[in-house]
Amino acid sequence: MTLFDDTRQLLQELIQNACVNDLTPDSGQEIRNAETLERFFAGTPNVEITKLEPRPGRTSIIVTVPGSDPAAEPLTLLGHTDVVTVDRPKWTKDPFAAEISDGKIWGRGSVDMLFITATQAAVTREVARTGGLRGTLTFVGVADEEARGGLGAKWLMEEHPHLFSWKNCLSESGGSHLHATDGSDSVVITVGEKGAAQRRLHVNGDAGHGSIPFDRDSAIVKIAEVARRIDAAEIAVAKDDIWQGLVQAHRFDPATEKALLEGTDPAAYAEFGELSRIAHAISHLTIAQTVVRAGQAINVLPSHAYLELDIRTLPGQSNDYVDEVLRTALGDLAAEVEIEHLISEEATLSPTDFPLYQTLTSVLGDFFPDSPVVPVISTGGSDLRFARKQGGVGYGFAVHAPERTLAYAMGQLHSHDEALHLEDLELTVQGYEAVVKQFLS
């Protein structure tokens, strides 16, 4: 069988194992995918295999192919093995059958990110069989990525920081395309990701019987006003090279480009079409109001209410900056609002003037010689942030056909009827094989 056939069969089995992470400690059970991967590597020469789990069933697998030169640059492929939940009635296919039809492989995790995980494993096995590389190659099938890595990459970083190299890492996702207004094409590499600055905003009011609400300080009315003011917050547009590069890649007319880069007209985001929401998130601190709570009994006026905010920061935006944005939006109400910090992680960014990034651009240039590479940041999180925290670099890499735009690829993540074009799987296998051989030899 070909390397593509091996990858496709492995991908189908990884999907069928249904390692669904519902964010509870005993979900995921990535041990099923770890065992599949262990069988996949069975009998392969020149590999060292380690399995670790911080909790029963939450298993990560590390496969190392030692290079011939200990001083050569290493490469680590971080592929997560868990997937998010499904709403089965909304699917027209069995989400865990890994059915192949219409030129696609269907199933939860087919795009996020089991196709990259399967590719990384298959290329690692092929390299182990053929040998000839100076640098050490490591494949890591990581648990718990969908729950921010507490039982996966984060745990490995904290408890086993020297088990493998974090210096040069590849993971999800990149290789999709940007179509400019003049018909030209660009291809993206993910070089960073936004941070998290989750907040819970508390307000207090007067308790009392629901039958006598007159002249009460209502916690519910107050939290509603908090929500209104947060929604109306004026957030400054990014002034970084990533945002400028994304705008310029689309070759908008001068007036639209100016409005986007200076943040003077929110309506200009419509020019991005299906990419408008993603473009807005890449260019702003975003504040999503996701949870509100107040009261327990219908006949009791609650004395407390809170609002939870999913805030995503850009590189360089600190916790103090986020709190200042909130207080400014709240205005004269700020003194009555307690700001509680929940999960907070800074945004991370890898440089583009770095050998691994240059290898990626070279490989993509071979596939798409007329398509310049555009670095982008991810609006969500990935395990690559742990590599950056360890002082390494991390890039999201895959290879998609030109028809698959960034908006299309992002639209498949966590969606109903998630599906991957087999053409993109074959391209990604070829891309990873080229990157590994170029970078490590």
Side-chain angles (χ1 to χ4, degrees):
M1 290 197 302
T2 66
L3 181 56
F4 167 72
D5 291 328
D6 289 342
T7 308
R8 175 182 51 76
Q9 289 189 4
L10 176 59
L11 172 57
Q12 287 182 283
E13 188 169 348
L14 295 177
I15 293 171
Q16 291 163 353
N17 284 337
C19 296
V20 177
N21 188 342
D22 66 10
L23 311 188
T24 58
D26 292 317
S27 67
Q29 290 300 300
E30 295 90 344
I31 188 171
R32 295 192 290 272
N33 275 340
E35 290 175 345
T36 288
L37 288 164
E38 188 174 33
R39 288 193 299 272
F40 183 78
F41 282 97
T44 303
N46 307 315
V47 298
E48 302 166 2
I49 299 177
T50 304
K51 290 193 300 180
L52 295 170
E53 55 181 30
R55 190 178 182 92
R58 308 308 303 272
T59 311
S60 295
I61 182 170
I62 300 95
V63 181
T64 303
V65 185
S68 61
D69 181 359
E73 287 291 311
L75 179 62
T76 299
L77 310 179
L78 291 171
H80 73 77
T81 58
D82 60 329
V83 301
V84 297
T85 57
V86 299
D87 184 355
R88 281 182 178 269
K90 301 292 178 60
W91 284 64
T92 62
K93 310 280 188 182
D94 183 335
F96 301 110
E99 173 187 328
I100 293 178
S101 62
D102 302 323
K104 303 176 186 178
I105 182 166
W106 303 76
R108 175 55 87 221
S110 56
V111 176
D112 183 15
M113 65 169 278
L114 296 180
F115 90 98
I116 298 178
T117 303
T119 294
Q120 293 174 337
V123 169
T124 299
R125 189 176 73 169
E126 184 69 13
V127 165
R129 288 170 168 174
T130 57
L133 299 185
R134 292 178 60 239
T136 293
L137 175 65
T138 305
F139 162 72
V140 189
V142 190
D144 202 38
E145 190 275 345
E146 298 292 356
R148 301 193 67 82
L151 298 173
K154 183 175 186 290
W155 180 78
L156 289 170
M157 178 190 70
E158 293 173 345
E159 300 298 326
H160 303 276
H162 306 300
L163 188 61
F164 55 86
S165 173
W166 296 90
K167 187 176 181 182
N168 301 291
C169 294
L170 296 179
S171 189
E172 58 184 343
S173 183
S176 53
H177 297 258
L178 303 173
H179 295 165
T181 56
D182 64 359
S184 61
D185 176 69
S186 302
V187 60
V188 305
I189 294 175
T190 305
V191 299
E193 59 195 65
K194 298 184 77 175
Q198 296 177 353
R199 297 292 187 268
R200 183 180 289 137
L201 306 186
H202 299 265
V203 299
N204 297 309
D206 294 335
H209 199 286
S211 66
I212 45 174
F214 178 71
D215 200 27
R216 302 281 195 186
D217 181 17
S218 170
I220 290 178
V221 171
K222 193 178 298 182
I223 203 67
E225 176 62 13
V226 167
R228 188 194 69 78
R229 294 190 185 192
I230 295 297
D231 184 63
E234 295 184 1
I235 309 294
V237 72
K239 298 297 183 182
D240 55 49
D241 293 341
I242 298 291
W243 175 232
Q244 182 173 326
L246 181 65
V247 172
Q248 292 175 343
H250 282 81
R251 303 186 183 181
F252 296 123
D253 64 83
T256 298
E257 180 174 304
K258 184 174 186 292
L260 289 167
L261 293 178
E262 297 183 2
T264 56
D265 182 11
Y269 282 88
E271 297 299 319
F272 281 104
E274 293 180 334
L275 194 65
S276 60
R277 288 192 180 97
I278 297 167
H280 183 272
I282 288 174
S283 61
H284 287 82
L285 172 91
T286 56
I287 306 175
Q289 306 187 48
T290 53
V291 177
V292 64
R293 293 282 188 271
Q296 298 183 42
I298 197 170
N299 63 341
V300 178
L301 299 173
S303 60
H304 170 255
Y306 67 81
L307 173 68
E308 292 184 349
L309 308 175
D310 182 3
I311 302 175
R312 304 298 175 112
T313 57
L314 293 170
Q317 295 178 337
S318 65
N319 274 321
D320 288 344
Y321 172 79
V322 171
D323 290 344
E324 183 58 31
V325 168
L326 296 176
R327 292 190 185 99
T328 299
L330 293 170
D332 60 1
L333 196 56
E336 299 182 58
V337 179
E338 175 194 348
I339 301 176
E340 178 187 359
H341 288 207
L342 303 177
I343 292 175
S344 292
E345 289 188 281
E346 292 185 358
T348 61
L349 191 66
S350 294
T352 56
D353 57 343
F354 205 81
L356 179 55
Y357 183 85
Q358 292 161 3
T359 298
L360 301 179
T361 60
S362 173
V363 168
L364 288 173
D366 291 338
F367 281 96
F368 311 111
D370 298 321
S371 300
V373 172
V374 176
V376 298
I377 60 172
S378 172
T379 58
S382 79
D383 286 334
L384 288 173
R385 70 187 184 279
F386 301 114
R388 300 184 188 111
K389 289 178 180 180
Q390 289 290 86
V393 297
Y395 304 105
F397 178 75
V399 186
H400 295 274
E403 295 77 18
R404 254 69 78 193
T405 63
L406 177 59
Y408 174 87
M410 292 291 290
Q412 287 296 309
L413 305 183
H414 301 188
S415 67
H416 307 311
D417 282 344
E418 181 181 351
L420 175 81
H421 287 263
L422 290 174
E423 179 184 14
D424 295 343
L425 180 61
E426 187 164 16
L427 289 170
T428 298
V429 170
Q430 295 170 6
Y432 265 91
E433 188 175 24
V435 166
V436 168
K437 290 181 177 179
Q438 284 190 32
F439 188 72
L440 293 181
S441 59

